[in-house]
């Protein structure tokens, strides 16, 4: 019986990649992946906005439902997950990436790893599969933190209301320091327990930021001196959110990891020319 089930799943996946049926990759998550309001001219982007560029749109459609400020808890409670489920077809994929806001103290967002955070990730996996979807768990992308003791941060969303001069005055070293702790570990654990696809976005972005170093990594983020960008006359120091360049670099790396994890996607992968 189990063998027949896997044969049927394989048939659904293989037949989904035809010109008569475009397979969707849904994204659920927070501001690091989310669509942004472009009307202000701000260069802020989520990596999910750039992912389509790395897949052939004749066969793969990226549908980004990640939203600024959401945790696994608030995404469910606001009905956003139900919306994604209503759109999901057999053979579609869903990238699940939370953590940045599950860490926050606000009751409407906070969850604990090893408890409700894990439960919510498991819910996404289970319910996607019930719809015939294929879940892909990612742990959170890193913050650009080269300080041994990161500045207090109860709300990444509040960073948009700051200027360059508001930036935390911290002494930075040569090594990137983790800010996610168990929120980066729990997604891997859930993926292992549920035999789900997993992409280690924490490691991928850690290696990227570390390679670029203290100064080079600023180019990925909303880090602008006064007068450097017309939409940010007073500048900004934001080590969480990506700018246009950063979103594209991260999306490209995550796309490479996706097609490695799921070889079936590789034939639709667009490799950016250097």
């Amino acid at each position: 019986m189990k063998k027949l089930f896997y044969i049927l799943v394989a048939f659904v996946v293989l037949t989904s990649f035809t010109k008569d049926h475009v397979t969707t990759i849904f994204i659920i998550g927070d501001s690091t992946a989310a669509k942004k309001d472009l009307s202000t001219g701000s260069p802020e982007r989520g990596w999910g906005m750039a992912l389509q560029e790395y897949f052939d749109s004749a066969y793969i459609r990226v549908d980004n439902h990640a939203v600024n400020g959401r945790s696994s808890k608030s995404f469910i409670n606001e009905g956003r997950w139900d919306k994604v489920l209503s759109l999901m077809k057999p053979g579609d994929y869903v990238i699940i990436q939370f953590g940045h806001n599950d860490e926050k103290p606000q009751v409407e967002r906070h969850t604990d790893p090893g408890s409700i955070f894990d439960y919510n990730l498991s819910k996404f996996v289970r319910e996607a599969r019930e719809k015939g979807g294929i879940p892909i768990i990612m742990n959170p992308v890193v913050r650009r933190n080269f300080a041994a003791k990161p500045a207090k941060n109860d709300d990444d969303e509040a960073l948009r209301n700051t200027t360059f001069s508001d930036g935390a005055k911290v002494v930075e070293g040569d090594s990137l320091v983790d800010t996610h702790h168990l929120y980066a570990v729990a997604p891997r654990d859930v993926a292992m327990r549920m035999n789900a696809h997993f992409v280690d976005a924490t490691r991928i972005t850690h290696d990227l930021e570390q390679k670029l170093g203290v100064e080079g990594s600023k180019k990925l983020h909303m880090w602008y001196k006064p007068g450097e960008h017309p939409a940010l006359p007073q500048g900004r120091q934001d080590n969480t959110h990506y700018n246009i360049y950063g979103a594209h670099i991260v999306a490209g790396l995550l796309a490479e990891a996706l097609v490695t994890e799921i070889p079936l996607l590789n034939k639709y992968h667009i490799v950016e020319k250097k």
Side-chain angles (χ1 to χ4, degrees), residues 40-45 222-236 243-244:
T40 64
S42 171
E44 184 180 333
R45 301 288 189 274
M222 292 293 291
W223 187 285
Y224 294 94
K225 294 179 180 178
E228 196 171 1
H229 193 282
L232 303 166
Q234 298 183 71
R236 187 176 302 165
N243 57 25
I244 297 170

Side-chain angles (χ1 to χ4, degrees), residues 43-269:
E44 184 180 333
R45 301 288 189 274
W47 67 258
M49 297 174 72
L51 190 65
Q52 182 68 73
E53 297 184 21
Y54 297 93
F55 288 97
D56 186 344
S57 59
Y59 297 94
I60 301 291
R61 181 176 71 95
V62 175
D63 191 1
N64 187 4
H65 288 255
V67 181
N68 291 355
R70 270 50 181 192
S71 67
S72 66
K73 180 180 181 180
S74 60
F75 197 87
I76 292 169
N77 289 345
E78 293 174 3
R80 298 179 185 279
W81 174 235
D82 288 338
K83 174 65 174 179
V84 172
L85 284 175
S86 73
L87 298 171
M88 192 176 296
K89 305 179 300 297
D92 286 341
Y93 295 84
V94 57
I95 295 171
I96 303 157
Q97 186 184 65
F98 291 97
H100 275 264
N101 297 309
D102 288 78
E103 302 170 5
K104 302 307 181 185
Q106 297 88 347
V107 66
E108 69 274 11
R109 298 196 288 181
H110 182 77
T111 66
D112 290 315
S115 181
I116 300 302
F117 185 48
D118 297 43
Y119 174 83
N120 289 344
L121 297 179
S122 300
K123 173 183 171 71
F124 295 136
V125 171
R126 183 179 65 255
E127 294 182 355
R129 285 173 168 167
E130 289 171 355
K131 291 283 290 187
I134 303 164
I136 306 162
I137 297 179
M138 290 187 182
N139 47 9
V141 296
V142 299
R143 297 182 179 92
R144 181 196 165 276
N145 174 51
F146 285 88
K149 184 177 181 181
K152 183 176 174 58
N153 177 9
D154 285 342
D155 189 356
D156 288 287
E157 301 307 299
L159 293 170
R160 296 191 188 88
N161 301 322
T162 63
T163 67
F164 187 85
S165 61
D166 296 325
K169 308 302 186 290
V170 297
V171 177
E172 295 184 314
D174 295 328
S175 297
L176 193 76
V177 179
D178 174 46
T179 65
H180 293 309
H181 308 296
L182 291 178
Y183 290 93
V185 177
R188 183 196 296 275
D189 291 345
V190 172
M192 290 181 64
R193 286 198 302 270
M194 301 195 73
N195 194 27
H197 292 293
F198 175 73
V199 170
D200 195 344
T202 303
R203 179 190 59 78
I204 290 168
T205 52
H206 172 277
D207 291 351
L208 170 65
E209 306 251 5
Q210 184 65 64
K211 179 181 178 181
L212 291 172
V214 173
E215 291 303 317
S217 58
K218 293 176 182 177
K219 297 178 181 179
L220 300 172
H221 293 277
M222 292 293 291
W223 187 285
Y224 294 94
K225 294 179 180 178
E228 196 171 1
H229 193 282
L232 303 166
Q234 298 183 71
R236 187 176 302 165
Q237 292 185 42
D238 181 341
N239 292 313
T240 297
H241 301 107
Y242 297 120
N243 57 25
I244 297 170
Y245 173 74
H248 280 76
I249 294 297
V250 170
L253 292 173
L254 294 181
E256 290 177 5
L258 281 169
V259 302
T260 299
E261 174 68 18
I262 307 172
L264 185 63
L265 292 172
N266 192 48
K267 64 189 294 186
Y268 309 105
H269 180 213

